[in-house]
């Protein structure tokens, strides 16, 4: 593995799994221990028959969804904006960090922070500064 991967701390989910007790179900990160509803399984199976399910989609997200979201933003007064649809917050954070940061750059994460964000920055080779927040989760003067 690369030096950046070796120096990256293990995900907290893995650490918690190692500490878990038999019979305790973790709801962390939306990991559930029951099957999805039948309707969801049937919809997923039906989607496999669609030709578009077997190819890569647009990097920035489905064009129709992006256009609809941009229209909604315009109605709210945000004009001249580009919309990217991601699979979740981690992908969005990674896209922004890869676009704006280079190895060696300093960046600030406000505590409490999402562990995946720090892992991504560590792997990018950034110098991460953890800034404390107050009880309302606002940055403190010291930050």
């Amino acid at each position: 593995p690369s030096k950046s991967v070796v120096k990256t701390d293990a995900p907290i989910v893995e650490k918690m799994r190692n500490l878990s007790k038999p019979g305790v179900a973790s709801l962390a990160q939306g990991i559930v221990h029951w099957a999805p509803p039948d309707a969801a399984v049937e919809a997923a199976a039906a989607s496999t028959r669609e030709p578009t399910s077997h190819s890569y989609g647009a990097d920035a997200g489905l064009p129709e969804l992006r256009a609809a979201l941009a229209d909604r933003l315009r109605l709210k007064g945000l004009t001249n904006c580009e919309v990217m649809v991601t699979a979740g917050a981690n992908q969005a954070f990674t896209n922004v960090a890869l676009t704006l940061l280079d190895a060696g750059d300093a960046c600030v994460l406000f505590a409490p922070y999402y562990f995946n964000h720090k892992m991504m920055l560590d792997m990018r080779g950034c110098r991460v500064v953890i800034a404390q927040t107050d009880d309302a989760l606002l940055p403190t003067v010291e930050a």
Side-chain angles (χ1 to χ4, degrees):
S2 70
K3 292 176 188 173
S4 60
V5 169
V6 170
K7 75 175 188 173
T8 301
D9 198 12
I12 191 68
V13 173
E14 188 174 321
K15 290 180 179 181
M16 293 306 293
R17 187 180 309 123
N18 293 336
L19 295 174
S20 66
K21 298 176 183 174
V24 176
S26 172
L27 299 179
Q29 295 205 313
I31 300 170
V32 295
H33 304 279
W34 52 85
D38 289 341
V41 173
E42 290 162 13
S47 74
T48 64
R49 293 185 282 280
E50 294 292 325
T52 57
S53 296
H54 305 284
S55 61
Y56 287 107
D59 287 341
L62 293 173
E64 307 85 42
L65 178 56
R66 292 178 62 220
L69 291 169
D71 289 343
R72 175 87 171 144
L73 292 172
R74 275 191 286 282
L75 288 174
K76 298 287 186 179
L78 293 171
T79 59
N80 195 28
C81 59
E82 291 291 325
V83 174
M84 176 182 274
V85 178
T86 65
N90 286 329
Q91 182 186 3
F93 184 88
T94 297
N95 289 348
V96 170
L98 289 173
T99 301
L100 299 177
L101 300 169
D102 289 315
D105 286 352
C107 56
V108 176
L109 282 180
F110 293 99
Y113 56 88
Y114 193 46
F115 69 92
N116 281 1
H117 296 169
K118 181 165 185 317
M119 285 176 54
M120 187 276 153
L121 295 169
D122 288 342
M123 286 190 284
R124 183 73 172 143
C126 296
R127 186 171 52 85
V128 181
V129 177
I130 307 299
Q132 297 306 309
T133 55
D134 64 17
D135 291 341
L137 301 180
L138 297 172
T140 61
V141 174
E142 296 78 33

